Amino acid sequence: MKIIVPATSANLGAGFDSIGIAVNLYLTVEILGISNSWYIEHDLGENIPTDERNLLLTTLTEVLSVKNVVLSEKYHLKMTSEIPLARGLGSSSSVIIAGIELANQLAQLNLTIDDKLELATQIEGHPDNVAPALLGNLVIATTSNHHTDAVCAQFPASKLLAFVPNYELKTMDSRKVLPEQLTYKEAVSASSIANVLTANLLTGDLLSAGKIMERDRFHEPYRANLVPELAILRKIGRAHGAYGTYLSGAGPTIMMLCADEVLSVLTEQIHQDKQLTGQLYSLEIDKIGLKTEH
């Protein structure tokens, strides 16, 4: 059996810790067979554990503990991933969703979508990445009192360009630069921008959504110095017809939304800029989210 989970891109500017999309890069976990001990075969680097310390298996263990279930067998697994690690494309969230589904399948828990979302948010801490990884498409979600409310919607037709710099930026480090509090006036302003962004996305107005996502006041102004490529790519995007450019998750990946007809010129301009060192991915929205294949 295979468990397949998409990458995600969170925040979309002002939708901080609340809005995310699923994109077509994938984590795949295969159950190869019963084993004497847990073993995860992967080629993700020597820093990624192959035993019970792996996030996949710590997630599985947490789910089984919550459900008060003990597995009688251990398994040999294979994990492959197209998702760059620690780059703001939901690599850890994809593993969490895969771990929940692995527990669901092996222990026959019969978890509902809501069950999986609650567990994922509890483990991850906020829903902006785990929700679209689970549900696909565009998801707007919030968590309070240990309950997550999520709205899944079709993302307006567009292309996505993800620029992935050649360095990691851990979420913990990226969060350290954020303010502990905002003034009431600033919070109202930031929230109103997020509200209009959400309305534009749900009505399919990417032209307006792209403009207002660049006016975020929750996190991008504080993280911009950590990711100098954001200003460079935003300038390219504005000059060559992108709808909008934003910091994907905690960064350092920068995501650009654009129409199909400007994709090639944006790609060319990015490749020509000598200040930009990294990988460029042309992506589309994943509309399915978590899936299994037998």
Side-chain angles (χ1 to χ4, degrees):
M1 189 192 76
K2 289 184 181 181
I3 298 168
I4 303 167
V5 187
T8 53
S9 178
N11 299 331
L12 278 70
F16 186 59
D17 279 1
S18 176
I19 299 178
I21 54 175
V23 299
N24 63 331
L25 295 171
Y26 297 97
L27 170 82
T28 301
V29 174
E30 297 178 67
I31 303 173
L32 299 182
I34 295 172
S35 178
N36 292 328
S37 61
W38 286 104
Y39 177 67
I40 301 175
E41 178 184 331
H42 68 72
D43 58 358
L44 303 178
E46 59 184 19
N47 292 329
I48 306 299
T50 60
D51 56 16
E52 289 93 338
R53 296 171 298 161
N54 191 287
L55 179 60
L56 180 75
L57 295 180
T58 61
T59 299
L60 175 139
T61 299
E62 186 165 349
V63 173
L64 295 179
S65 176
V66 168
K67 296 301 179 180
N68 197 26
V69 174
V70 177
L71 286 177
S72 59
E73 305 286 0
K74 298 176 180 179
Y75 292 85
H76 178 191
L77 309 169
K78 182 177 181 181
M79 178 189 290
T80 56
S81 182
E82 302 171 336
I83 308 170
L85 300 178
R87 297 295 200 278
L89 286 169
S91 58
S92 61
S93 292
S94 67
V95 177
I96 289 170
I97 294 297
I100 291 170
E101 186 59 22
L102 184 64
N104 185 46
Q105 295 289 335
L106 294 180
Q108 299 181 351
L109 299 176
N110 297 314
L111 298 175
T112 66
I113 291 294
D114 287 343
D115 292 335
K116 295 173 188 177
L117 182 58
E118 295 290 351
L119 286 164
T121 305
Q122 176 183 325
I123 294 167
E124 174 70 0
H126 41 83
D128 56 343
N129 277 306
V130 292
L134 175 64
L135 301 170
N137 254 305
L138 164 71
V139 182
I140 300 116
T142 185
T143 298
S144 60
N145 299 321
H146 307 291
H147 176 71
T148 299
D149 292 289
V151 175
C152 185
Q154 291 285 113
F155 193 80
S158 70
K159 296 292 185 180
L160 301 98
L161 274 177
F163 179 79
V164 184
N166 289 336
Y167 58 87
E168 293 185 359
L169 180 57
K170 296 188 182 300
T171 301
M172 184 182 299
D173 295 331
S174 190
R175 283 192 178 270
K176 286 180 181 177
V177 301
L178 301 180
E180 292 187 4
Q181 57 187 344
L182 299 175
T183 65
Y184 184 83
K185 181 178 180 181
E186 184 70 6
V188 169
S189 177
S191 179
S192 67
I193 291 170
N195 292 342
V196 175
L197 168 65
T198 304
N200 286 330
L201 291 172
L202 293 179
T203 56
D205 186 352
L206 273 184
L207 189 62
S208 297
K211 291 177 180 177
I212 203 161
M213 69 173 49
E214 295 188 358
R215 291 167 54 192
D216 165 61
R217 298 173 76 161
F218 281 124
H219 75 114
E220 287 192 355
Y222 308 101
R223 289 170 163 168
N225 287 338
L226 298 178
V227 189
E229 295 88 349
L230 177 61
I232 298 168
L233 287 162
R234 188 161 279 168
K235 184 176 180 180
I236 291 173
R238 289 172 178 173
H240 297 281
Y243 293 126
T245 305
Y246 67 91
L247 190 64
S248 181
T253 292
I254 296 103
M255 191 73 76
M256 190 176 286
L257 303 180
C258 65
D260 190 37
E261 57 266 24
V262 300
L263 182 66
S264 59
V265 67
L266 286 169
T267 300
E268 182 181 353
Q269 291 297 319
I270 292 168
H271 282 313
Q272 286 180 358
D273 196 306
K274 302 303 182 185
Q275 301 175 85
L276 299 172
T277 304
Q279 301 296 314
L280 189 63
Y281 294 83
S282 177
L283 302 174
E284 296 182 355
I285 297 292
D286 173 275
K287 298 180 181 180
I288 298 173
L290 168 68
K291 65 178 181 179
T292 59
E293 294 179 355
H294 293 272

